């Protein structure tokens, strides 16, 4: 089974890469920006994606500035992230679907679920946060911020091996290479800077996210 890679056009004219695989109920995977690359994630996380594609019509995508999407567009505001997601939903022909979101993608999924509740049948929110300060004040975030402007290889290797807590050194090295495929250093810094802005605080939107939801942390 190989994913089918296509492109969607956002309302502000950005080309967004998305992929799909499998048949069954639709499941949209929302990855944390800026760590998305539709082809590389299929290969790096084959142990997760391929079993899911055996049960679902699996759809995933790259945000602007990342992966196979337009790398020149590096607006990581919440409005831009939602425009990317909306473009994929429309291009993929998704009418009502389940969504799973990880870490920094959780606020994006919550925002979309709040403004388009008729689209979301259920949500799985894993290891996420509702406002940037919840993450930015953590010891892991402080350590990550100190490394962010340094050597790119050292940063990605440390992120994979230490900050993300992968004990499997072979997989950690593979994950570090995946991160380098996903995004350029400047775009990564732009993404993390944007996540601290007020528009990434979605705590007030929680009552409007009415889909059945599983929170995993």
């Amino acid at each position: 089974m190989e994913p089918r890679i296509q492109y969607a056009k956002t309302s502000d004219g950005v080309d967004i890469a998305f992929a799909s695989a499998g048949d069954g109920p639709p499941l949209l995977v929302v990855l944390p920006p800026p760590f998305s690359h539709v082809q590389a994630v299929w290969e790096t996380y084959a142990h997760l994606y391929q079993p899911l594609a055996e049960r679902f019509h699996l759809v995933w995508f790259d945000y602007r500035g990342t992966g196979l999407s337009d790398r020149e567009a590096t607006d990581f505001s919440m409005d831009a992230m939602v425009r990317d997601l909306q473009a994929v939903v429309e291009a993929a022909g998704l009418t009502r679907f389940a969504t799973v979101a990880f870490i920094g993608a959780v606020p994006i999924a919550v925002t979309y679920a709040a403004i388009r509740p008729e689209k979301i049948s259920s949500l799985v929110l894993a290891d996420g946060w509702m406002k940037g300060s919840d993450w930015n004040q953590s010891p892991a975030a402080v350590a990550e911020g100190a490394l962010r402007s340094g050597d790119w290889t050292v940063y990605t290797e440390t992120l994979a091996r230490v900050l993300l807590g992968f004990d499997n050194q072979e997989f950690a090295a593979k994950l570090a290479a995946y991160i380098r495929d996903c995004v350029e250093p400047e775009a990564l810094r732009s993404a993390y800077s944007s996540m601290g802005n007020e528009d990434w605080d979605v705590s007030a939107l929680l009552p409007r996210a009415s889909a059945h939801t599983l929170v995993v942390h």
Side-chain angles (χ1 to χ4, degrees):
M1 185 189 304
E2 285 296 321
R4 180 187 181 197
I5 299 174
Q6 300 172 267
Y7 281 85
K9 182 80 74 173
T10 68
S11 59
D12 57 340
V14 179
D15 291 321
I16 301 298
F18 71 96
S20 60
D23 297 313
L27 175 62
L28 178 66
V29 177
V30 186
L31 291 168
F35 304 124
S36 58
H37 190 299
V38 289
Q39 182 62 54
V41 76
W42 174 261
E43 298 162 357
T44 303
Y45 290 95
H47 58 292
L48 296 176
Y49 275 64
Q50 293 183 22
L52 284 172
E54 292 173 0
R55 297 185 59 188
F56 298 95
H57 173 55
L58 197 64
V59 178
W60 64 101
F61 67 96
D62 292 337
Y63 302 95
R64 61 187 66 205
T66 72
L68 299 181
S69 292
D70 185 350
R71 290 283 190 119
E72 299 301 313
T74 55
D75 175 7
F76 289 94
S77 65
M78 181 58 73
D79 283 346
M81 299 295 93
V82 171
R83 283 196 295 270
D84 294 354
L85 194 159
Q86 287 177 323
V88 170
V89 168
E90 293 173 9
L94 301 178
T95 54
R96 187 166 172 80
F97 52 91
T99 299
V100 56
F102 303 92
I103 319 173
V106 167
I108 300 169
V110 168
T111 300
Y112 186 80
I115 63 177
R116 297 301 303 269
E118 77 282 3
K119 290 281 190 180
I120 305 295
S121 60
S122 55
L123 279 171
V124 178
L125 307 177
D127 293 332
W129 38 266
M130 295 298 103
K131 51 186 177 181
S133 60
D134 290 343
W135 161 251
N136 291 336
Q137 295 172 6
S138 69
V142 172
E144 181 275 330
L147 291 168
R148 199 182 303 159
S149 58
D151 181 84
W152 184 232
T153 301
V154 171
Y155 170 81
T156 56
E157 295 284 342
T158 304
L159 186 66
R161 295 172 188 272
V162 181
L163 297 179
L164 297 181
F166 284 100
D167 295 328
N168 183 322
Q169 295 300 298
E170 182 180 351
F171 182 74
K174 193 174 182 180
L175 180 59
Y178 166 75
I179 293 169
R180 293 191 290 272
D181 285 339
C182 289
V183 64
E184 298 300 324
E186 209 48 52
L188 179 136
R189 287 189 279 269
S190 176
Y192 273 103
S193 176
S194 295
M195 289 180 192
N197 295 336
E198 288 184 5
D199 63 340
W200 276 78
D201 181 350
V202 299
S203 51
L205 295 178
L206 292 178
R208 293 168 52 191
S210 57
H212 294 290
T213 303
L214 173 66
V215 177
V216 184
H217 193 76

